[in-house]
């Protein structure tokens, strides 16, 4: 299976692309880890001239982003100096706003979590109250830490990620039209990027190499999906893709907070409320099977607090239904169903990648449909 990690990793020796080329070099430094990488290897892997690489690495060293990692024996001539990324030279905040809980993480340039905070949250208390709690927790998280590039915010959709504008959050219509990105940016005096919780989690998984095409299904206080197709996060032309929880499975089913009846979210949450987790897994599996049949994806990953509370049950239950769907469809290859790595802070960590991905030239993964 081809990995997107090697895509768009060829540089261009043009002054207008200095920022792009520096991001490519930073990404290779990050991938090299503590062992580092030589300038010659950087030139070979990016397609840049050695002179261009020397200028870029000199600038990165001056900015504190890169440092020497020793010397490596050469096949001829003097030993090569090896460079490495300085992880704590920069940070990003990932903020997960669930309907009843806030999770905030501070990550370094490698994506490693260096601080974490949790707090109760009440979406029903209104936008001003939620923004105040979020700003307070982010400020507390940043205390005593170094430079921060920005804040990635993940929360239930639907929303417009490019404008940072919320739409009618399921169950909380009063949020419709609220400019969350601008409100938080004003409070924190930092750049803010807003996206759906499922998109943020899927982004983090994509950058970790989960698969070329997969669906991340999140079952917690609600149900949604993040889609990665062809190695890039898919939001759709109107940024509304992934409203997975509101596909109708039962025409005369229970009312859903979205205004429809028989949505997979309503059916799943009703089963969970009754303690019928096997039924919830079958319902989720049926909807996942529909998604696999529609998009022919490689993998299904499950997350969310309800899933994490009964991991084996949901993986087995959803997997069995998806396997049967693939078998009936004549598909030769099995579509694996697995637990998403990262646990309950996976959404928050993915939100931080909304900020970091462009720094390392991975905007093609994070914002493929974004236009200025």
């Amino acid at each position: 299976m081809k990995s997107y990690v090697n895509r768009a990793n060829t540089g261009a020796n043009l002054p207008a692309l200095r920022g792009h080329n520096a991001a490519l070099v930073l990404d290779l430094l990050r991938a090299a880890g503590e062992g580092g990488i030589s300038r010659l290897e950087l030139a070979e892997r990016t397609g840049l001239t050695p002179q261009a690489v020397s200028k870029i690495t000199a600038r990165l060293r001056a900015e504190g982003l890169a440092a020497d990692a020793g010397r490596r024996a050469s096949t001829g001539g003097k030993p090569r100096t090896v460079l490495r990324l300085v992880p704590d030279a920069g940070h990003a905040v990932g903020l997960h706003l669930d309907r009843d809980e806030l999770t905030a993480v501070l990550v370094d340039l490698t994506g490693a979590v260096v601080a974490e905070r949790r707090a109760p949250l009440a979406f029903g208390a209104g936008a001003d109250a939620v923004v105040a709690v979020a700003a307070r927790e982010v400020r507390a998280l940043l205390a005593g830490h170094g430079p921060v590039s920005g804040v990635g915010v993940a929360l239930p959709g639907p929303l417009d990620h490019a404008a940072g504008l919320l739409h009618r959050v399921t169950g909380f219509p009063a949020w419709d039209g609220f400019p969350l990105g601008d409100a938080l940016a004003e409070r924190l005096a930092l750049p803010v990027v807003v996206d759906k919780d499922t998109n943020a989690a899927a982004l983090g998984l994509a950058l970790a190499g989960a698969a070329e095409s997969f669906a991340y299904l999140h079952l917690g206080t609600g149900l949604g999906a993040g889609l990665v197709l062809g190695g890039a996060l898919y939001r759709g032309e109107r940024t509304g893709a992934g409203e997975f929880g509101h596909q109708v499975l039962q025409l005369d089913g229970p009312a859903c907070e979205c205004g429809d009846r028989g949505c997979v979210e309503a059916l799943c949450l009703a089963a969970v409320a009754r303690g019928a987790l096997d039924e919830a897994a079958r319902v989720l599996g049926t909807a996942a099977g529909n998604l696999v049949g529609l998009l022919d994806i490689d993998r299904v990953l499950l997350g969310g607090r309800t899933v994490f509370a009964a991991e084996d049950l949901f993986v087995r239950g959803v997997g069995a239904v998806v396997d049967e769907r693939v078998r009936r469809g004549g598909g030769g290859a099995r579509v694996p169903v697995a637990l998403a790595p990262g646990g309950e802070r996976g959404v928050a960590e993915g939100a931080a990648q909304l900020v970091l991905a462009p720094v390392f030239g991975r905007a093609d993964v994070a914002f493929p449909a974004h236009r200025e």
Side-chain angles (χ1 to χ4, degrees), residues 42-141:
L42 288 170
E44 290 171 347
R45 296 186 189 184
T46 60
L48 297 168
T49 65
Q51 293 83 357
V53 168
S54 291
K55 289 181 180 179
I56 290 171
T57 54
R59 187 165 71 250
L60 295 178
R61 283 165 54 89
E63 294 171 354
L65 293 168
D68 288 347
R71 292 181 177 270
R72 184 180 299 161
S74 174
T75 54
K78 62 181 181 181
R80 300 174 185 170
T81 299
V82 179
L83 299 173
R84 65 174 178 85
L85 182 71
V86 179
D88 61 359
H91 299 84
V93 173
L95 189 60
H96 179 195
L97 303 180
D98 207 345
R99 292 170 174 87
D100 60 357
E101 183 180 50
L102 173 153
T103 303
V105 297
L106 183 71
V107 305
D108 65 18
L109 292 179
T110 69
V113 175
V114 297
E116 177 180 1
R117 289 184 67 87
R118 293 179 184 268
L121 198 68
F123 256 60
D128 290 342
V130 169
V131 168
V133 172
R136 181 194 72 207
E137 294 301 317
V138 170
R139 290 193 192 101
L141 189 73

Side-chain angles (χ1 to χ4, degrees), residues 194-366:
V194 177
D195 210 337
K196 290 195 292 190
D197 46 11
T198 49
N199 285 346
L203 172 61
L205 294 167
L207 291 171
E212 182 77 2
S213 297
F214 67 89
Y216 167 75
L217 307 183
H218 186 97
L219 178 59
T221 58
L223 174 62
L227 304 175
V228 171
L229 305 178
L233 186 61
Y234 181 74
R235 293 185 178 84
E237 186 64 24
R238 290 165 295 281
T239 72
E243 288 301 311
F244 170 82
H246 301 297
Q247 56 176 302
V248 175
L249 292 187
Q250 184 179 338
L251 292 178
D252 59 348
C256 180
E257 290 184 333
C258 74
D260 219 324
R261 301 189 70 86
C263 293
V264 60
E265 177 177 296
L267 295 169
C268 270
L269 295 181
V272 170
R274 296 195 306 272
L277 296 186
D278 287 334
E279 179 185 339
R282 286 195 301 273
V283 171
L284 184 57
T286 300
N290 290 343
L291 199 58
V292 169
L294 182 66
L295 299 177
D296 195 23
I297 52 179
D298 303 326
R299 192 174 181 84
V300 174
L301 296 172
L302 306 179
R305 69 175 71 167
T306 302
V307 169
F308 291 130
E311 298 172 358
D312 292 342
L313 183 151
F314 276 98
V315 170
R316 286 197 312 270
V318 173
V321 180
V322 170
D323 282 347
E324 177 62 20
R325 174 64 179 266
V326 172
R327 185 191 65 77
R328 289 199 312 269
R334 181 172 176 268
V335 177
V337 175
L339 193 70
E344 290 195 21
R345 72 181 189 192
V347 172
E349 291 185 45
Q353 292 298 334
L354 292 167
V355 176
L356 287 184
V359 174
F360 293 95
R362 303 312 301 150
D364 60 323
V365 178

